[in-house]
Amino acid sequence: QEQLVESGGGLVQPGGSLRLSCVAAGSIFTPYVMGWHRQAPGEERELVAQIRIGGSTNYADSVKGRFTISSDNAKNTWYLQMNSLKPEDTAVYYCNSVGQRGTHWGQGIQVTVSS
């Protein structure tokens, strides 16, 4: 059973930066799609960023120019570099993947942007 493990969340000041990491523990194959979603209090879960196995990426309009998704396929790991953070970025962030063994989700990690 594949397990996604997130790290790197926490509390940061507005304008600050964080980098989230997701490791697909025990994975044999590189996922076709690796991504990050987030869910703010009282809101539905929404897509933040995705990267495909060939390297193409897409982002939510609200994070374009501030967030960067990347992957280290040899390590079955992907990252979300978050710069110029705003209070509205506060949410629980979930990593996810789609691959030969199906779709998987991490447990979620809190990101709080506050002064």
Side-chain angles (χ1 to χ4, degrees), residues 3-63:
Q3 185 173 212
L4 306 188
V5 181
E6 298 131 325
S7 62
L11 174 65
V12 66
Q13 299 277 102
S17 297
L18 286 173
R19 189 176 77 155
L20 305 182
S21 299
C22 182
V23 178
S27 179
I28 298 174
F29 301 103
T30 301
Y32 305 140
V33 182
M34 295 156 280
W36 292 92
H37 291 67
R38 68 186 181 188
Q39 187 167 20
E43 303 292 333
E44 294 187 338
R45 191 175 299 186
E46 64 177 351
L47 172 70
V48 177
Q50 292 179 320
I51 184 167
R52 309 189 81 88
I53 192 168
S56 62
T57 59
N58 64 281
Y59 298 90
D61 287 343
S62 60
V63 308

